Amino acid sequence: MNPDGVAAIHKGAMRILSEIGIEFLNPDAVEILRGAGCKISNTNVKMDEDFVMEMLAHAPAQFTVTPRNPQKSLVIGGPYMAFGNVSSPPNAWDLERGKRPGDFETYREFIKLTQFFNCIHFAGGYPVEAIDLHAGIRHLDCLYEKLTLTDKVVHAYSLGRERVEDVMEMVRIAGNLTPEEFESRPHMYTNINSVSPLKHDFPMLEGAMIHAKRGQAVIVTPFTLAGAMAPVTMSGAVALSLAEGLAAIALLQYINPGCPVAIGTFTSNVDMKTGAPAFGTPEYMRATQMTGQMARFYKLPMRASGVCAANVPDGQAMWETSNSLWSAVQSGTNVVYHAAGWLEGGLIASPEKFIMDCEVIQMIQRYFDPMIYATGSDDIAVDAIAQVGPDGHYFGCQHTQERYETAFYDPLISDWSNFEAWQLNGSTWTAERAHKMYKGIIAEFEAPPIEDSVRDELKDFAARRKAEGGVPTDF
Amino acid sequence: MNPDGVAAIHKGAMRILSEIGIEFLNPDAVEILRGAGCKISNTNVKMDEDFVMEMLAHAPAQFTVTPRNPQKSLVIGGPYMAFGNVSSPPNAWDLERGKRPGDFETYREFIKLTQFFNCIHFAGGYPVEAIDLHAGIRHLDCLYEKLTLTDKVVHAYSLGRERVEDVMEMVRIAGNLTPEEFESRPHMYTNINSVSPLKHDFPMLEGAMIHAKRGQAVIVTPFTLAGAMAPVTMSGAVALSLAEGLAAIALLQYINPGCPVAIGTFTSNVDMKTGAPAFGTPEYMRATQMTGQMARFYKLPMRASGVCAANVPDGQAMWETSNSLWSAVQSGTNVVYHAAGWLEGGLIASPEKFIMDCEVIQMIQRYFDPMIYATGSDDIAVDAIAQVGPDGHYFGCQHTQERYETAFYDPLISDWSNFEAWQLNGSTWTAERAHKMYKGIIAEFEAPPIEDSVRDELKDFAARRKAEGGVPTDF
């Protein structure tokens, strides 16, 4: 978009906030915003541009989230791009077992994949729901596994105060932190979604406000499907998404000025014939890019996703996912949710897809290595070209010998052999090779080190909270 | 690259041309360049920067190629992006028959696919080699089919004077043109490759010079695999590729100043463990982007490709092809060769892959539709957002009703249904759906109209030339 386009979307978002207003379905949030001078009518909150922009000015353009292993700290914002696993599918699918409901053992497998791949920087929500665990205690078992099988940044679902506070306590224990140390800087994050159009629900706002008060990071990601819960035009869907997102961020900045936040986008379109959501479409890519321009305008870190509508890890899955991941690159996205493992519009987590996505992510990360587009005189290599001349080849020359080990991207499961060699190797399609790698990773997985005392304290905390009955499940 | 990077690659290419020189393995070309004042030593030709830049200044930044159906005219250069079918694989592969040598019937099938898809703008080289036709007469039968089954721009292989002249005559007949009309503007094109490093061979130069003399288009595409026939560093491979390409373009512009040319890139890398070529890698993407910047610097139209190393139309095939096609977009490529149907590094043509690639190409074309990132006040839709409010949905509102038919990309073989509906439809993976569509297109194909007299004249010409013995095959 040119500057006029940016100004037009900004103006649209501000008109939505000031003239139409956002429903805050949380009385505490409404009272806070009333105190801030917003216009309130029951749950409807209207904010004017001055207030919103004043609040946004508090938000940091870049911040760091420090997990129990500080070497896995996550910088969010600026030139950085972080990738996380698929989050929240109720089902799993793999080549061997087909589609089935998520369970705790499968959850553990995905957490191991999340830890194994260096290209995955943080653990998102549950990579698959552990349906076999009661919802009242699921977070305790799941976080115990997440905090012991990985040492990367973790996440809390904003599904009620008790869950959020349990997760915070477990992250504090895992990091061996005092409550003061925990609150002194970000150690975890939550992601909240608005209920588009124009609404933020009670538990999401509650969780976000707890995070903001305690200095933990909040990503606000409206879920605006153009043509369904958002306008059929992409800039309309983006304007609505921004209005919803900025409203929540303004609230959080009023509560704790300077608290770490990011604006997310999850704007795509539906198939107008069936209402089915589509992902990785040209419209999705443009919406992501437009949101990226707006995030830079507001100087906020930005979140996008790696998504597809495909049901199995096939060609469609990879062009849709490639489109979404590359649009994250093009939009200047800082945090890529669902970057590995997503199928069926987020209803399926697949280990084969996880590994296939990791190949794409690794290529994106390599793409950013300045080495491959360096133009120093050694790179341009006129001397080597003179030396090899018209009849030689470059395999053996000194210029190649000095560089060949790191000159090129090293593939993960791509098979670059010719057809006959590929046939001798079993004629495996990509998903089959990924399946084999997945089994190997799980079989040989080694958890990162953790002090026994910390592990015991985490275990005790989870056991005690389970004994106390877990958390309410009447959501 | 920043301007310093562009200057460094330019300087490298000019040093290669002036200090190292290019081998022109064609005595006519050498004599012409001697006459132009280049430094000659046997087949080695050294050109200085002033000469090269003076010649490049003659080349048009944009030109039009007019096929027998002028409505399918192809604008090459400027903001235009044209896509063509895969060219020259010796083998075919499909889900039913596996890998097998190319034959004339399969060639005809791919020509039908080329004609069928509107997203494919021109017919490249033979989409698969018709191995069952003798090489001395193959071009006559293949061009007859190409000129009657399609009405899009076609290509001549620069494999000997006779072949090129036969194809030119057939294109002239198909277009119902006098020889003067034929030469008055471009009606066809050839693509030549250098023999990297640093060589142009006899027949390619001969074909290119015939095209230039008769005002037909020439694309010059060095094939520089970094680490094998080019430096292991990408900017070195790009500098070598440019030097080779610019040398041929300088020759052609000296022969016929202002003749239509384009500079191609086919720079990728090899797997340093096996020597196997890799495609669609991060290095490939960066090399394509760098070449695009240089093509803009030289004000030349640019050619790139849609390529992969994968052997079957699976996930890997689609991430590699997506990477290459999107890097064509990012580099400002004007002509995309091999855009549909390529497998196994160009050794296989696949109809399933052809259709899968067409989906990606259609998405790229849709991506450029300004409608999807328009920011007029109707697009931002604040009134519709007010009207739907927090409790409605957008399916039925007036703003959606007025736009839903064209608002979103309409998929070709993507299945956006959920898992259960997908299962009911036969649990087909993308390649299977593409296979079914391929069979349907071939079964129902209708050739574009052609005048009987023109068809007869083409048929007679091919029959006569075959009776005369075709062309020499001692290449």
Side-chain angles (χ1 to χ4, degrees), chain A residues 199 233 314 316 379 390 430, chain B residues 199 233 314 316 379 390 430 433:
Chain A
K199 285 187 293 293
T233 44
D314 60 357
Q316 177 190 334
D379 301 302
T430 311
Chain B
K199 285 186 294 293
T233 45
D314 60 356
Q316 177 190 335
D379 301 302
T430 311
R433 297 196 295 277

Side-chain angles (χ1 to χ4, degrees), chain A residues 212-257:
Chain A
K213 279 177 200 154
R214 300 191 65 188
Q216 306 306 306
V218 181
I219 302 173
V220 184
T221 312
F223 180 20
T224 41
L225 282 178
M229 58 274 242
V232 74
T233 44
M234 299 320 289
S235 63
V238 167
L240 175 62
S241 174
L242 285 168
E244 294 173 1
L246 297 178
I249 289 174
L251 166 69
L252 301 176
Q253 293 301 327
Y254 185 78
I255 289 171
N256 182 6

Side-chain angles (χ1 to χ4, degrees), chain B residues 220-235:
Chain B
V220 184
T221 312
F223 180 21
T224 41
L225 283 178
M229 57 273 242
V232 74
T233 45
M234 299 320 290
S235 63

Side-chain angles (χ1 to χ4, degrees), chain B residues 113-136:
Chain B
L113 293 176
T114 299
Q115 176 67 11
F116 179 83
F117 283 100
N118 292 331
C119 65
I120 301 298
H121 303 109
F122 67 94
Y126 307 155
V128 70
E129 284 289 341
I131 306 285
D132 52 342
L133 298 182
H134 188 273

